[in-house]
Amino acid sequence: MKKTIALIEDEPDIVELISLHLTKAGYAVKAFLSGADFLAFLDKRTPELIILDLMLPDIDGLEICKLIRKRDVTAGIPIIMLTAKSEEMDKVLGLEIGADDYMTKPFSTKELIARVKALLRRHEPQRSLKKIEIGDMLTIDLGKYEVLVGGKRVELTPTEFKILELLSSKKGWVFSREQILDHLWGTEKAVIDRTVDVHIRHLREKIGEAAHLIKNIRGVGYKIEG
Ligand code: CA
């Protein structure tokens, strides 16, 4: 079964270009020129990944992102946001709202495909059945791709999960923002430090009563301990 990638972009040339490359890479592409069309689709189908343009004629990309994250069924779908250079500030906002990655136009389609693959790989359930316990409250089940706080399941975005996975791989070990970014995006350095803080803040909010287990070490980075 081919994985379905939803592409929401109002510029036909970009749609054509991205669709072509995604199809060549073996994905099924569903393209939408407006936010409304996409939301209608989302009511019936769940794509494996979403590529979302920020500036759409009808609905703001950020609004769409919020809607996706709000619904249980769609909350875990990886989202790559497309932004124009002039929308620099919106990138941080996009990540705050729950996008997993973003690309600034003009971008290389090769790079986009690489990120699509990386995000999908990260999102795939892992075969190992490894469970990590932090304190007596937080459980990270790497096999099921699940996080439990006090036995209750918490929905994280793929990026948040990946950060938690990294921090808990070495309890008490401090990871710098750069190391976290490396873990998230490989050698891609076109991301700003602040995005890590944004993801961590979200992660903390979501794990609620276990939030204190993630500690910020001033000027160095983050660690998890319990
Ligand atoms: Ca646009």
Side-chain angles (χ1 to χ4, degrees):
M1 264 289 269
K2 279 185 181 176
K3 286 185 172 154
T4 301
I5 297 176
L7 169 64
I8 308 98
E9 164 65 77
D10 60 316
E11 287 164 71
D13 289 355
I14 299 184
V15 171
E16 200 180 323
L17 186 71
I18 297 179
S19 300
L20 182 77
H21 282 84
L22 286 173
T23 309
K24 250 170 67 182
Y27 300 109
V29 185
K30 285 273 174 198
F32 305 92
L33 295 167
S34 78
D37 286 350
F38 167 67
L39 291 175
F41 162 83
L42 201 61
D43 281 337
K44 289 170 256 134
R45 293 271 314 272
T46 309
E48 266 83 19
L49 185 139
I50 296 165
I51 300 173
L52 177 62
D53 182 32
L54 187 66
M55 296 284 277
L56 294 165
D58 56 344
I59 311 170
D60 192 315
L62 293 175
E63 281 306 313
I64 297 178
C65 196
K66 269 196 235 168
L67 283 171
I68 295 167
R69 288 293 175 249
K70 259 208 306 227
R71 296 147 109 182
D72 283 351
V73 196
T74 56
I77 304 174
I79 301 173
I80 299 177
M81 211 149 216
L82 303 179
T83 66
K85 206 150 198 89
S86 56
E87 299 154 6
E88 196 78 10
M89 277 319 291
D90 291 329
K91 283 192 259 181
V92 174
L93 199 56
L95 291 168
E96 288 207 35
I97 283 168
D100 297 282
D101 205 350
Y102 59 80
M103 297 210 70
T104 306
K105 295 176 190 172
F107 51 81
S108 106
T109 37
K110 210 176 140 193
E111 175 67 28
L112 177 66
I113 301 294
R115 295 200 191 187
V116 164
K117 284 185 181 161
L119 265 177
L120 286 172
R121 205 181 311 125
R122 207 189 293 169
H123 199 57
E124 254 163 35
Q126 316 203 357
R127 267 180 217 111
S128 80
L129 292 169
K130 207 172 156 200
K131 263 191 195 178
I132 302 170
E133 309 268 354
I134 314 280
D136 49 11
M137 207 188 293
L138 184 63
T139 307
I140 301 132
D141 191 326
L142 298 174
K144 289 189 188 161
Y145 210 83
E146 225 173 52
V147 174
L148 305 169
V149 177
K152 251 184 91 180
R153 199 182 155 162
V154 178
E155 286 295 335
L156 300 181
T157 65
T159 301
E160 289 157 2
F161 187 88
K162 190 88 178 165
I163 292 175
L164 191 57
E165 184 189 22
L166 176 70
L167 294 181
S168 53
S169 66
K170 283 181 188 168
K171 279 183 238 178
W173 185 281
V174 182
F175 290 91
S176 68
R177 286 180 180 78
E178 203 188 358
Q179 284 172 318
I180 295 173
L181 288 174
D182 277 353
H183 182 65
L184 294 176
W185 283 289
T187 53
E188 179 56 46
K189 285 292 194 319
V191 276
I192 37 180
D193 277 7
R194 216 192 116 194
T195 59
V196 170
D197 300 329
V198 170
H199 287 301
I200 297 255
R201 203 177 71 225
H202 264 236
L203 181 57
R204 276 184 171 145
E205 279 165 17
K206 288 189 184 174
I207 61 174
E209 52 182 330
H212 66 279
L213 298 170
I214 299 176
K215 295 176 178 80
N216 176 222
I217 310 302
R218 268 180 93 111
V220 190
Y222 292 93
K223 70 172 177 177
I224 197 161
E225 220 168 29

